[in-house]
Amino acid sequence: MSGNVSGASGAGGAGVAEDGVPQGEVSQGGGPEDGAGVDLGRVRQLWHLLEPLHAVLYYAPEAFEEAAALGYGAEERWPSYFPYRAAPLGAVGGGRVASAFYSFSPRMVDEHIDSAWRTASPEQVLAARERAVDRAYRAILGDRVASPELAEAAALARRAAEAANTEGRQLAASNAELRWPEAPHLQLWHAATILREHRGDGHLAALLVADLDPVESLVSFAAIGAASVERFESRGWSPEEWAAARGRLTARGLVDEDGIATDAGRELRRQVEHHTDRLAAAPWRSLGPDAVTRLADLLGEFWVAVLSSGLLPSETTLGIGKV
């Protein structure tokens, strides 16, 4: 996971309804052995709806302003992205952050984390990101930050987030340990953050089971058309490292000489996404189908508002709308 989100479409295989809300795909396999009673298409749909609500932190001008006030560079998003996302872990070094974020080159992580906590403490960064989200949500949603619909959505999302199992999930656990904000719109953002990191931590487990190291995970994702190779270059890997990873995947029969996924490569990535959905299902199972449906309905308005703001890029490394 990268903190990015597509502004184009909804769940893979699902399409987008006329009102712009992504529709859940049909579960592959279905049944208790997959989502233990919750439709996996709905699990993925909720991620697609919540991810933009989280991602405003990395793109909103208010977030850059708050970061700059702490002393971080604001000429691009990475100087603030790394401390904003890593702050719940505490003043950890680049090794811990690279492990938790997974897909970034350790050199890129070190470049930003080595000086991050000398610029500001994690506590100062956490306070700044809450101010940033408060300001950004008010700018994007206007009077809707105080609407009963947002308050209801926040309450439901919080229930799911509080039910999320965080064993073995360091980013989900560190965010779940933070205090809950009082304002409903900030509770919605905090819940979205816990749930997206919970899903992301599970995604890393699925990649490990698939025997895909950090750069291989990107090469294999690009190979199925999840995003362009140029977009994945934002993760800081050198051309030589990318080529070496492609060579390893070619030797495994997962990509061809041109870097395009073979049938085996596509099947492996399908399994990774399926396992990710399955590992992300528990919080939604705790809500029950009616509450999950209600939350999806409520979130649509806010999802559309964030995407309509134009803050988020149209192509990202998450593959939303492509897988």
Side-chain angles (χ1 to χ4, degrees):
M1 302 289 279
S2 68
N4 292 332
V5 63
S6 169
S9 64
V16 179
E18 292 180 358
D19 60 1
V21 178
Q23 302 299 295
E25 65 180 7
V26 176
S27 297
Q28 300 187 37
E33 71 275 15
D34 293 317
V38 63
D39 181 77
L40 293 187
R42 182 69 85 180
V43 171
R44 194 175 299 188
Q45 181 200 22
L46 266 295
W47 167 48
H48 290 167
L49 286 166
L50 286 168
E51 180 64 22
L53 301 184
H54 163 80
V56 297
L57 175 66
Y58 309 124
Y59 296 99
E62 295 83 1
F64 290 116
E65 291 167 5
E66 293 290 346
L70 292 179
Y72 296 108
E75 66 282 355
E76 60 172 349
R77 70 191 186 94
W78 301 121
S80 56
Y81 170 86
F82 283 96
Y84 272 150
R85 191 175 174 212
L89 296 170
V92 297
R96 269 283 297 278
V97 175
S99 173
F101 289 14
Y102 199 71
S103 65
F104 288 90
S105 162
R107 293 185 306 278
M108 183 177 182
V109 176
D110 286 343
E111 176 187 349
H112 296 288
I113 288 297
D114 280 351
S115 62
W117 313 131
R118 294 195 299 270
T119 301
S121 69
E123 292 76 16
Q124 290 173 312
V125 173
L126 289 171
R129 80 176 193 174
E130 186 169 301
R131 291 194 301 270
V133 172
D134 179 41
R135 294 175 57 202
Y137 270 34
R138 291 181 186 279
I140 295 168
L141 301 178
D143 292 342
R144 285 175 291 185
V145 296
S147 70
E149 291 80 12
L150 188 145
E152 184 182 357
L156 289 170
R158 178 172 180 170
R159 279 175 52 194
E162 290 181 329
N165 56 313
T166 58
E167 296 86 352
R169 304 179 194 239
Q170 56 182 319
L171 283 172
S174 60
N175 278 280
E177 286 183 342
L178 301 176
R179 64 163 182 81
W180 280 90
E182 293 185 7
H185 64 290
L186 295 178
Q187 289 192 17
L188 179 59
W189 183 85
H190 188 53
T193 300
I194 293 170
L195 291 164
R196 70 93 63 183
E197 298 294 16
H198 175 271
R199 181 186 176 89
D201 290 336
H203 183 63
L204 301 193
L207 291 171
L208 291 171
V209 169
D211 195 21
L212 294 171
D213 69 25
V215 64
E216 290 169 356
S217 71
L218 299 182
V219 173
S220 65
F221 213 23
I224 65 169
S228 64
V229 172
E230 291 74 21
R231 176 60 64 178
F232 285 111
E233 288 176 347
S234 67
R235 293 295 176 268
W237 301 99
S238 70
E240 293 76 17
E241 289 168 324
W242 187 273
R246 178 184 287 181
R248 294 193 296 273
L249 296 180
T250 299
R252 291 173 61 183
L254 299 176
V255 303
D256 63 22
E257 294 295 335
D258 295 321
I260 305 302
T262 62
D263 289 345
R266 289 187 178 279
E267 173 59 18
L268 184 63
R269 287 302 317 202
R270 187 200 67 78
Q271 292 176 13
V272 167
E273 301 309 319
H274 177 77
H275 291 160
T276 300
D277 289 335
R278 184 171 56 82
L279 291 170
W284 307 117
R285 186 168 62 246
S286 73
L287 283 187
D290 291 343
V292 165
T293 299
R294 176 60 176 164
L295 177 58
D297 290 343
L298 289 166
L299 289 175
E301 173 185 0
F302 310 116
W303 181 83
V304 169
V306 170
L307 295 189
S308 298
S309 71
L311 293 176
L312 307 184
S314 60
E315 183 189 43
T316 75
T317 58
L318 291 187
I320 293 179
K322 302 290 185 65
V323 297

